[in-house]
Amino acid sequence: MAYTPELSYANSCVLRRIAWSLKEPMTVAIDWAIEELASHLDADEICRTCKDTLKCHTCLFHSEWQP
């Protein structure tokens, strides 16, 4: 990973509680939270505004992406 954003204290506390509820470490919980959020977003809008078109083949928002 090229960039690791820091969480605010409040968001770190939220993530910790999510991790506890999932009975998983925070590293797993943050992946789960991002994937869950992504499933509710408009993939076409994300693609349209993307600034990293070199990674389309690995992006879950790309219409042809498959895990």
Side-chain angles (χ1 to χ4, degrees), residues 14-36:
V14 169
L15 179 60
R16 187 176 308 110
R17 283 155 181 78
I18 291 170
W20 290 336
S21 74
L22 295 173
K23 296 178 177 52
E24 296 286 355
M26 287 174 66
T27 53
V28 172
I30 198 165
D31 282 346
W32 174 87
I34 290 169
E35 290 168 11
E36 182 65 22

Side-chain angles (χ1 to χ4, degrees):
M1 175 182 286
Y3 171 68
T4 306
E6 290 189 33
L7 297 174
S8 68
Y9 178 77
N11 285 339
S12 180
C13 291
V14 169
L15 179 60
R16 187 176 308 110
R17 283 155 181 78
I18 291 170
W20 290 336
S21 74
L22 295 173
K23 296 178 177 52
E24 296 286 355
M26 287 174 66
T27 53
V28 172
I30 198 165
D31 282 346
W32 174 87
I34 290 169
E35 290 168 11
E36 182 65 22
L37 173 61
S39 73
H40 296 280
L41 297 175
D42 182 346
D44 292 334
E45 176 68 10
I46 301 287
C47 270
R48 191 179 64 71
T49 60
C50 181
K51 295 178 181 167
D52 189 9
T53 57
L54 298 176
K55 303 261 183 0
C56 293
H57 64 286
T58 62
C59 180
L60 69 94
F61 295 112
H62 192 265
S63 62
E64 296 174 14
W65 181 84
Q66 294 185 12

